């Protein structure tokens, strides 16, 4: 079995079989990282460049750990880049990568489509680690993997994504992944933070948080992406919390126990309170842990395609 793609640019471009293959491979790597010796030699001859043009903690560390546990050679580049222009930055990037002779590039960039652009200009395999408000495929894969782990399967589950859907790459990638795996997806949040034509991609909108939570098996709580907002989308944080924040009292008032997820970083007291974040209903740290195994799987499967091409 192999992936149908050379790059992981977005969930949009991969198939359900690809996702299942990534999950099965991640199951194996999850077992590996729980061993006393957490390293395997699988990517010993592969060089990976992590190019982060936008801030990141979890994703960058997670990729780096995944790469090191596969024994890849790793180079890191990070730049806070709000002032750089798309074309200039990426052309520079292309030239740097070509001269470094790297096999794979993991890239986070503020511009949507940056990974697709790069994939057309260089020979290396590209993994999109977040491109603006567009896609964040490995986050969606680790989210769905974590649902599968907690609830046995993703197919048939009801998942609501709550919060800033408009500016969230996590939302879009999750919607594509959940739908490909046969889950039912709704979004919930202030009207101003819901994309206008989201119903066209088969996603229902529920503006009432309590109703959304009553409906779902899983609630994925997103951070308000203040850094991507050019104006005010709701009157005040206090009002946002009142209408769209999840606290323990609200969870306990539901007729069944739901699972709570969050991609991080959490703004405690805004999208979820601390008692929810730290409760056993939340699988937030499982998501982080699964992130390493899922990224190992993605890198391993893409690398095996590179080797095949050379033969
Ligand atoms: C997310 C991101 O950067 O898109 N974080 C992450 O990768 N874990 C979500 C966010 O920033 O809110």
């Amino acid at each position: 079995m192999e992936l149908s793609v050379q790059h992981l640019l977005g969930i949009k471009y991969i198939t359900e079989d690809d996702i299942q293959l990534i999950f099965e491979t991640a199951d194996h790597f999850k077992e590996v990282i729980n061993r006393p010796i957490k390293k395997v030699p699988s990517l010993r001859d592969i060089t990976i460049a992590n190019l982060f043009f936008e801030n990141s903690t979890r994703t960058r560390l997670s990729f780096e750990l995944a790469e090191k546990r596969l024994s890849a050679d790793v180079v890191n580049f990070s730049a806070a880049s709000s002032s750089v222009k798309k074309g200039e930055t990426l052309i520079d990037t292309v030239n740097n990568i070509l001269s470094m002779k790297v096999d794979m590039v993991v890239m986070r960039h503020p511009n949507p489509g940056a990974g697709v652009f790069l994939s057309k200009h260089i020979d290396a395999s590209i993994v999109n680690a977040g491109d603006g408000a567009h896609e964040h495929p490995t986050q969606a894969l680790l989210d769905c993997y974590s649902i599968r782990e907690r609830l046995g399967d993703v197919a048939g589950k009801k998942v609501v994504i709550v919060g800033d859907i408009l500016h969230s790459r996590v939302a879009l990638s999750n919607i594509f992944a959940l739908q490909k795996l046969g889950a039912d997806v709704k979004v919930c949040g202030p009207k101003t933070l819901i994309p206008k034509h989201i119903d066209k991609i088969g996603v229902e909108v529920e503006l009432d948080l309590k109703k959304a939570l009553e409906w779902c098996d899983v609630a994925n709580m997103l951070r308000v992406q203040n850094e991507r907002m050019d104006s005010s989308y709701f009157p005040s944080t206090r009002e946002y919390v009142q209408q769209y924040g999840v606290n323990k009292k609200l969870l306990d008032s539901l007729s069944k126990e739901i699972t709570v997820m969050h991609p991080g970083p959490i703004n405690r007291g805004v999208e979820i309170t601390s008692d929810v974040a730290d409760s056993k209903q939340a699988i937030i740290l499982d998501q982080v842990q699964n992130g390493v195994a899922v990224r190992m799987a993605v890198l391993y499967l893409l690398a095996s395609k590179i080797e095949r091409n050379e033969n």
Side-chain angles (χ1 to χ4, degrees):
M1 285 280 278
E2 61 170 32
L3 292 177
S4 68
V5 288
Q6 312 279 347
H7 310 279
L8 180 61
L9 301 173
I11 301 291
K12 192 167 58 197
Y13 309 107
I14 63 173
T15 64
E16 189 199 343
D17 284 349
D18 289 330
I19 301 177
Q20 297 293 3
L21 177 61
I22 292 167
F23 286 179
E24 281 154 29
T25 312
D27 286 340
H28 166 69
F29 286 127
K30 188 153 175 167
E31 189 257 309
V32 167
I33 55 186
N34 284 315
R35 289 181 197 161
I37 296 167
K38 300 176 175 55
K39 231 172 150 160
V40 285
S42 316
L43 297 198
R44 217 176 31 205
D45 301 322
I46 298 283
T47 304
I48 305 180
N50 297 316
L51 308 182
F52 279 73
F53 295 94
E54 202 185 65
N55 293 342
S56 170
T57 314
R58 246 159 309 272
T59 305
R60 196 169 56 77
L61 283 177
S62 180
F63 268 110
E64 202 173 330
L65 272 175
E67 292 154 3
K68 290 188 166 154
R69 286 181 179 164
L70 290 166
S71 308
D73 285 328
V74 179
V75 285
N76 289 306
F77 168 81
S78 43
S81 66
S82 52
S83 60
V84 288
K85 290 243 163 42
K86 181 177 177 180
E88 289 167 349
T89 311
L90 283 179
I91 297 294
D92 270 354
T93 310
V94 172
N95 291 331
N96 277 292
I97 296 165
L98 286 177
S99 60
M100 285 192 293
K101 301 218 184 314
V102 305
D103 303 294
M104 303 180 85
V105 173
V106 173
M107 183 170 76
R108 170 166 288 195
H109 199 281
N111 293 119
V116 175
F117 175 84
L118 198 61
S119 71
K120 293 194 173 128
H121 289 85
I122 64 169
D123 230 5
S125 213
I126 315 290
V127 180
N128 177 8
D131 58 334
H134 180 223
E135 278 226 40
H136 190 355
T138 56
Q139 181 69 44
L141 290 169
L142 74 89
D143 288 343
C144 291
Y145 185 85
S146 303
I147 294 174
R148 169 183 177 265
E149 183 179 72
R150 173 61 70 111
L151 300 178
D153 202 352
V154 179
K157 297 294 176 298
K158 294 176 179 154
V159 181
V160 65
I161 306 174
V162 181
D164 184 358
I165 314 299
L166 186 65
H167 301 100
S168 172
R169 53 195 173 208
V170 177
L172 192 59
S173 286
N174 260 276
I175 290 168
F176 290 144
L178 288 162
Q179 287 181 335
K180 286 187 181 187
L181 293 170
D184 221 351
V185 191
K186 282 190 187 182
V187 293
C188 176
K191 222 174 180 161
T192 49
L193 289 178
I194 308 249
K196 275 203 180 61
H197 301 293
I198 194 140
D199 54 315
K200 301 251 162 37
I201 56 166
V203 176
E204 264 183 62
V205 179
E206 174 56 74
L207 297 177
D208 184 305
L209 178 64
K210 175 101 195 247
K211 280 192 193 151
L213 296 179
E214 275 294 356
W215 171 82
C216 75
D217 302 304
V218 178
N220 195 350
M221 307 299 300
L222 301 183
R223 186 177 65 85
V224 174
Q225 309 266 304
N226 287 310
E227 72 277 22
R228 295 191 208 286
M229 295 185 184
D230 44 16
S231 61
S232 179
Y233 286 78
F234 45 84
S236 67
T237 302
R238 207 165 129 192
E239 201 153 313
Y240 181 86
V241 174
Q242 265 170 14
Q243 287 199 44
Y244 293 104
V246 169
N247 55 46
K248 198 71 177 61
K249 200 167 141 225
L250 178 56
L251 280 187
D252 291 343
S253 75
L254 303 175
S255 54
K256 64 174 189 299
E257 193 167 289
I258 64 163
T259 299
V260 178
M261 304 175 69
H262 195 302
I266 304 174
N267 281 319
R268 285 178 184 254
V270 183
E271 57 273 5
I272 50 176
T273 50
S274 278
D275 53 4
V276 172
D278 302 330
S279 74
K280 63 175 183 14
Q281 278 171 264
I283 56 166
I284 300 167
L285 291 178
D286 299 329
Q287 291 172 259
V288 177
Q289 200 190 60
N290 289 334
V292 178
V294 167
R295 290 180 172 116
M296 284 173 84
V298 167
L299 295 166
Y300 172 80
L301 290 166
L302 288 176
S304 59
K305 294 210 65 154
I306 301 173
E307 277 151 17
R308 184 148 315 171
N309 289 344
E310 282 168 0
N311 289 336

